[in-house]
């Protein structure tokens, strides 16, 4: 059984099926064409150059394709890379053909994730919010389940978007049990919906990029617009205070204007949602970094956490 | 002919018709009811207390009422105020009865302002933007012409909103003549529309307050929502790049995230609109402050300009 | 039955037993001595001046004394105050004599609070941490149960310190259930201990002030010193990694250097503790402010939350 | 006709006359001398290495020389470069010999630029300012017309300094027409003079560097000193308010202390000049970046605009 | 012998000669004229109102006059003030008539100060700097010896400017002895000259205000201009590196652009001068605040030191 | 006599004894093992790669070893490096064998440094502080004399820690002579002790790294803990004000919370110590950078001084 990318050490001979994540056509100093490739599987990414690439190779080795990769692993400026000795498309009988198998996934089965999300939708008992969530979850059903929660920060894996929303709903559930002054329906509605605009901001689960509306408008406003349009379609009065509260919770969830929220939280549920969002994202980022760190050492620096690095202590659970 | 508020000096006897702008009911240390009032006319504001106010007086001296004010002007902690000797509603035949006459107005007649605005609407030749502006200007016709541009910062007078928009359109017109690489339709569309959300953010031209949606959503997003709903009504595709550009120009016009824009300007017209908006607002703020300053002295500090004060030099024009 | 301070309205005649919280001796413009007093009970504070105070009165009306207060409530510059007509010590038989009855308390009985805290101590299964917590909780048993969590920010009531610690332990318990990668013992140890230094930073539960060591050293370092001294007494090696981790969690719990932590969180449990600390404090501050706010209005601005004010919506729970 | 630098694509054979902009002598790992060169023409810059450079080559290939460049264009780390196959000085009859032909120029003929500037000088009707401008424009006539406005930010081309000053004068002209409260003479004087100190701060139009006074004193103060010395020579009283106003407008034109102005704008004309300066610079930077960007894509990030990138939409003018 | 202002306690009868520092004419609520006065002597300031002031009194009680003040000291809002019972000009034979006797002075005799300054001037052995200092010290001899170093921050007493310069020269002398790599002449020249621009920025030693050039140009640039003009008069080449270094040391002495230096220190002597300037100013501010503080207490908060308050410990020297 | 690292120029043949400071084992692109080495002597550092390193070579060329290095000096990306032609351990008779000879040292003999430090210890006349310093200096005698003051910022050489402490003590001595209001014992105690925690924060004088306690606790708190433990051992009352003052001076010496002090200076001696610490560190950083700079040029940018570069003027001392 072939090894995963993460399992190879410097100097190892590599022979595995991997997915092409990026493929740039470049010229060497002598003017020869080569491909600068990034390969991935569910364990990690690794880059490598295919020298003297023919036109055929340039045409077939494109993002989203599964390939059989042979070579040797080394390091260049602290970054591991593959010296490619052989590369071909995985097109033989019996070879893997589902790109989804090469992506990292949420650590929960899709059906379970969906069931648990549905339970939380039911717990939103305010009728306008409930109907709005159901309408938007229906409209964007597939994207919500398959998209990552970000291009590269936290939950940057297939299904990361819905998994992150679920994690916050779980945290929210615990918080409202402890603090009865917080409105459960509103906090859960915010937890479920707040990042749904990312299905319009990002290009999709594979080779994720920002779309033009994603860049020029941003996922917060893109979702607010969808909420308003859906409300109009459902014949809700968008001036109804319940509609204003829901929009506020969504708009304010980044907490600070500097982080792209057009308003700061000004109701309790908005403030709490913002804090739970950051709590889940930070735990996910630290966990991902520490998973790649040996006990007794510091992780790589984490951009999304002010470039801090984290120590992995030797603790029994 | 009675004097205006601004014309009275400390020690003068006051006898004028003025508008009640604010009226708070309070208790003296001895437990007697009094009214803490702010009066205004088109020249200025001044405050005064009505001691031993009867229930009748409390009921009739409310914001928006025109009153005949008699008393004496003095100063308390550098702030001028009126020692009220007599106060009654202006309800005699021949006395002023139009609150609008007591508000500051844009320094241009409403009909001229409207004509000039219409010319600029015609100059928006891109058809989607043109139809959208006309639809929204029709929907909010009266408010756009009567609202101030802000509660208390700049253009805080009746008609200030449309006058500020017109000033920016004029500046924009000059800029596109000098820099042909800027799209005239888009810059003008932004100039005309960018602050229209204030008709939803503010309560109205008299005794202006922030509305609940104004606080929780903000005028930038409120307008973006109206643009999207209007586009839907006009059967425009909101994913059309022209729609995205217009929304971007509106969303980005505060320039910085810290100032409440959910995105920073990322097209040239958005950047220029932001700068023209600030240019006009700063000139208006400085002019208003210097109008009240003697030559050779510094104005009061201006909150909206980082609390700077400005010197009024002795310059022949 | 006498009314509480919060129950009186402007103009009401006041006749209640209250606690003297502050008492400053001052001179009127005519050179007469008067007392500027702040009274409190478990509902609120209110100030009032005792004019023409005799030497006897100055001597007996000092902070911590219970008095019978008669007068009339009015307002001065938006602040309610009492016009005192009569004031005497509560020294008659049957009159209240326990200052603790006039303070706000944690919304849970002390015995329950202590039992629940003990359960969380037991859940700290790492033996060094467990023994350290038990030693410090024994050394500072009474102060921990009676002190506020802050002079005036959040949980500024008797028992606020232990109640805040308990709230975080509860939140921590939920978080470790959801994220098994977090060490439960360490997070709970941090939750229980992190603010214990406040018993050295603050002067006590009544008329709370900062002590000199509180000002010059600060509660974070004061606690770290106690941990090190206790470890020495228990013959623990302070270089043991478990000791370093516990000190780090305590030292880093303010999250940012600007907030007084000498190090930023660099292990996962420290980061999570910091976020739960802020989550509980913010909910407590918002709740306290909204308790005094009418539905449909905004609260006073909250200093500890960047001076934001919060809207109290009309929501059924 | 040979192609311009910008017209070559990766893989193309290059054969053009270009100007040497920079030339660094370096050693290869094996200890051989080579030249690291930057070539430029009026379209763009490109770098390339001349391997095994002889002493003769080191001596002749210096900044400011025109050369005939042959080679092949490729890319290294996203940056285009030339693999040099042949390089010689352009010293044959009929070959280009004017370095000025290889620099980018202001998009207006020098004589027209000068005429238009003269018109604006005439419009400065205040006699002290008018004579001062004429004196300084005479003293620095050639440098003002030939220098760039910056080393590498905006208007970094020959004549950029005077062209930038002219652009601001044009904008100023429009602004004073719209806002009569602004003093035209003072705003124009500021527009014309404000950046003249750059002729002392920068080394010249070719291979522009900061001079030692440029680094240690800065162009704002260098110009202020020239103004004071010129005033002394013209027997003006430097304490005259007109002199103080002109110096203030120059000193304050960067707007913020952080940007190197020793005072913030405190008269209206200084504030407006600062804003027009930034408006013109930002339009120039965006235009330069978008000129190199395909429709439907984002430009490179612009350092001088907070590292934003700008989208080039598909808009008909 | 009459007491000093600082020696009176609340309730004391006051009877002393004092200087009028400020005198504002105001109206009471009933429209009567009164004078709001600030009195000072070398120990402290105190304010008081002269009710029912006659036109004569308004005319004679002006800043700079010495008066005989009788009244009673009390406190209003924590600020001590005088209830004036009698006030007249000090115009009797034998009464004090020198305003200088009522100002705080540098804690050193003027002649000693001048001698010690002269010694440091001699220690500036570089001839251009030496001649420049001597020329400027001659031109501004009296002002340099009499002005304060600031309007209200540090060394805000008569002679504070030269005393502060001397203190830095003393510190500089110690530093160059310890670090021979620092140029003694340049550091001393900077120490002596750096704040001399304050004689143009401030109005004088009594009732000190900012002048218009002080506001619009600032003392740093005002001094740089004087240096350049003096150099021209002495026929020095202002492009000589020695001239550039001296100007740089002066221009950079505030250390940060935000503090008004147009350039940050870029030579060692400029960096050291900046730090010694801040060291002396901070010691002076702390000492002044602690002089008014009882042992075991905290001083008032000091604006110029980030609003910190300082603790006065019980330490034997 | 062999040359020092700093004396070689590009192209020179190198033949010297040097110390191995770092040694990383890496793979070439073809999978061959090589050593990436950093060599040092008392003059400078230089890096070089040993290609095709055998297992023996990997085992013997480790940090702390003295080697005979032969090769040629060149530059790569502006950084000098050695092309190694021969490398062997210095193990012949008569060859250098003391690593200390290859480190930079404080510019003063250890015995003199120690004597002068002892004199300053004697000048701390307050008995608690004196005994505490003597106890801690005894406990950490060797480390204090041998450690650097930082990993790479300032005084990053053997003995830098004690030399930096001495330099501050010398400055402090001059300051207390000039300002008698400063407590000499306390300022000297702070000067001597403030950085002693670095012996726990850093790994040692060779190949200096941060320890785990150094990262998670930091040298300020590590020293505070030692002070408290030592006080306990000496039977001092840690609540004694003298103990609180000493801890405050140590805790506050970084001046700002952002720089890692848990409290800002709140007594005069703490403020002065902070400023002297920064003064000495900045002079040391500038001097080190300017030592490598030619007259008339700018140094490299200095990270610890906000990335400024400094000009080295042509000044006679």
């Amino acid at each position: 059984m072939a090894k995963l990318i993460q399992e190879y050490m410097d100097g190892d001979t590599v022979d595995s099926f991997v997915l092409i994540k990026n493929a740039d056509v470049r010229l060497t100093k002598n003017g020869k064409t080569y491909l600068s490739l990034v390969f991935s599987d569910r364990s990690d990414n690794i880059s490598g150059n295919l020298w003297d690439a023919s036109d055929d190779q340039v045409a077939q080795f494109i993002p989203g394709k599964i390939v059989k990769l042979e070579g040797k692993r080394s390091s260049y400026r602290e970054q591991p890379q593959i010296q490619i000795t052989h590369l071909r498309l995985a097109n033989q009988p019996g070879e893997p053909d589902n790109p989804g198998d090469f992506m990292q996934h949420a650590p929960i089965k899709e059906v379970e994730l969906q069931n648990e999300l549905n339970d939380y939708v039911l717990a939103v008992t305010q009728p306008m919010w409930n109907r709005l969530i159901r309408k938007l979850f229906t409209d964007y059903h597939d994207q919500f389940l398959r998209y990552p929660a970000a291009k590269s920060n936290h939950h940057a894996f297939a299904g990361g978007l819905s998994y992150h929303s679920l994690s916050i709903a779980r945290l929210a559930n615990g918080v409202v049990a402890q603090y009865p002054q917080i409105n459960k329906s509103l906090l859960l509605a915010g937890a479920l919906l707040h990042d749904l605009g990312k299905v319009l901001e990002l290009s999709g689960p594979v080779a994720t990029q920002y779309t033009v509306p994603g860049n020029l408008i941003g996922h917060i406003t893109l979702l607010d617009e969808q909420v308003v349009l859906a409300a109009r379609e459902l014949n809700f009065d968008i001036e109804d205070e319940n509609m204003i509260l829901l929009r506020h919770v969504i708009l304010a969830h980044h907490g600070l204007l500097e982080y792209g929220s057009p308003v700061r939280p000004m109701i309790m549920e908005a403030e709490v949602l913002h804090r739970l969002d950051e709590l889940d994202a930070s735990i996910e980022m630290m966990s991902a970094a520490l998973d790649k760190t040996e006990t007794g050492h510091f992780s790589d620096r984490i951009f999304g956490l002010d470039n801090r690095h984290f120590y992995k202590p030797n603790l029994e659970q």
Side-chain angles (χ1 to χ4, degrees), chain A residues 20 23 35 37 50 54-67 87-91:
Chain A
I20 295 178
L35 279 168
L37 297 155
L50 183 69
S54 67
D55 289 356
D56 261 15
Q57 289 176 313
V58 168
Q60 65 183 261
F61 296 137
I62 56 175
K65 290 292 180 186
I66 303 167
V67 290
L87 189 73
R88 67 163 173 82
L89 290 185
N91 49 15

Side-chain angles (χ1 to χ4, degrees), chain A residues 10 129 172 191 208 224 239 271:
Chain A
D10 267 15
W129 302 334
T208 306
D224 176 75
E239 296 301 317
E271 178 71 14

